[in-house]
Amino acid sequence: MRVVDLIVRKRNGEVLQQEEIETLITAYVEGQIPDYQMAALCMAIYFQGMNTEEVANLTMAMAKSGEFIDLSDIEGIKVDKHSTGGVADTTTLILGPLVAAAGVPVAKMSGRGLGHTGGTIDKLESIPGFKTSLSRADFIKQVNQIKLAVVGQSGNLVPADKKIYSLRDVTGTVPSIPLIASSIMSKKIAAGANKIVLDVKLGSGAFMKNKEDAFALARTMVNIGEEVGRETVAFVTNMDEPLGTFIGNALEVKEAILTLQGKSRGPLRELCLNLGAYMLSLANQVKEIEEGKATLEKLLDSGAALERFAEMVAAQGGNPEIIRDLTLLPQAKYQWDYHMPQDGYIHSINAETLGIAAMTLGAGRENKDSSIDLAVGIKVHARKGERRQKGQPLLTFFYNEQEKFEAAKKMIPQVMQISATPPKTLPLIYGIVTKEGCLDLNCSF
Ligand code: URA
């Protein structure tokens, strides 16, 4: 088998066979195929796509490139959750304890932020003392004891994805449905969960900028789950504006705690209740989705989910007092408010630009080796469609370095548009794709 022949065949729109895909992935991970050939293949896949069987074969070949985590020592059905990446999306920190409090084990391996999107592991590291790395035995023991542990991905989980993703990042081949689907599903499969709930983001702050592509990605991942015996449900949700109100690591932990305290009731809470209800349903904990939502609302409002969060923090070496005293989280030295320049409606809020502005303040990494400032970030005081008077605060910047603040401030004109008439608002959840098809909310499929 010559690699160039496979590249040419894919470039011409032909189907690659299972053993060809397996050989390619193994040889690439072992360093026998140069980056330029893999990059050419990714570009061919970007333009020609892959059929369902090819994507499933690529996913399994990637998953098998590293270790498989065995969660069979954890009692119960393990349901994992994954988002394709968003801004002010701190759902894992709320959903984990919430679903655990309902009795479903959450054994979660999360990633770090890259580019304008945040990562759960960075957020958790803003909790004083919190350990994001546990031995396999301690991880399993903790989940059996309190039904919840969140750690960073093990070094040898899907090495093929690590190599291919860095290559895609610099060759313009990230937004490809088969490549994103295989990248995400290979990690979910190797991480050992029995069932999977996905949150496919759609909008300015997401990889998927149009509805057709977002639903196609959702369907592709649900099909892969079916092919490999891991039932998968995929939500398609709005990422045109940030999900929560805070962007930045410690600030997002604060928002997760406020939500777990029942004090924050916006779309972030709403999405957690919906994703969580499906997790409960997949774990056979409830028969109806509405029953799942009602169960989770009670656990939020009673403080049970907040207590579970504190238990996880304590079990992983962190200070559980943060649930009572938010000032124990890293605090930025300075704050600055940007006010509404005129009366009007918030016409649009660009999630991606806000994510980049927060990153510019120091909340994110420019490359995987950059360090981050856990305290800095942005609070967004209004949502799309809301009316505000001139002079009311719109954004608060939390910062430590003047130079970074000046650079981030320059982005404000691209962050929001204000209009005299109300804009068309967008739904939080566009639709939910299951193995039965698309449960329509605002879905045209
Ligand atoms: N998230 C991933 O893990 N992989 C992708 O390709 C895109 C988003």
Side-chain angles (χ1 to χ4, degrees), residues 82-85 153 161 165 168 173-177 179-185 187 207 217:
H82 187 90
S83 143
T84 58
Q153 259 161 33
D161 182 59
Y165 193 90
R168 286 166 57 209
T173 51
V174 169
S176 147
I177 291 170
L179 294 177
I180 296 180
S182 53
S183 161
I184 291 177
M185 290 302 285
K187 284 177 288 202
F207 290 123
L217 176 60

Side-chain angles (χ1 to χ4, degrees), residues 264-325:
S264 178
R265 292 188 164 257
L268 175 60
R269 171 182 159 114
E270 194 51 37
L271 186 58
C272 288
L273 290 172
N274 280 280
L275 293 169
Y278 271 85
M279 290 173 80
L280 261 50
S281 161
L282 286 178
N284 298 336
Q285 200 84 4
V286 293
K287 288 205 175 63
E288 302 290 336
I289 296 303
E290 286 311 314
E291 181 196 344
K293 272 199 235 169
T295 306
L296 296 176
E297 274 196 286
K298 279 195 205 117
L299 292 168
L300 264 184
D301 296 337
S302 68
L306 179 67
E307 282 308 322
R308 191 59 60 104
F309 177 78
E311 279 175 54
M312 173 186 76
V313 170
Q316 292 187 227
N319 183 356
E321 277 307 303
I322 56 160
I323 68 162
R324 276 168 278 278
D325 181 359

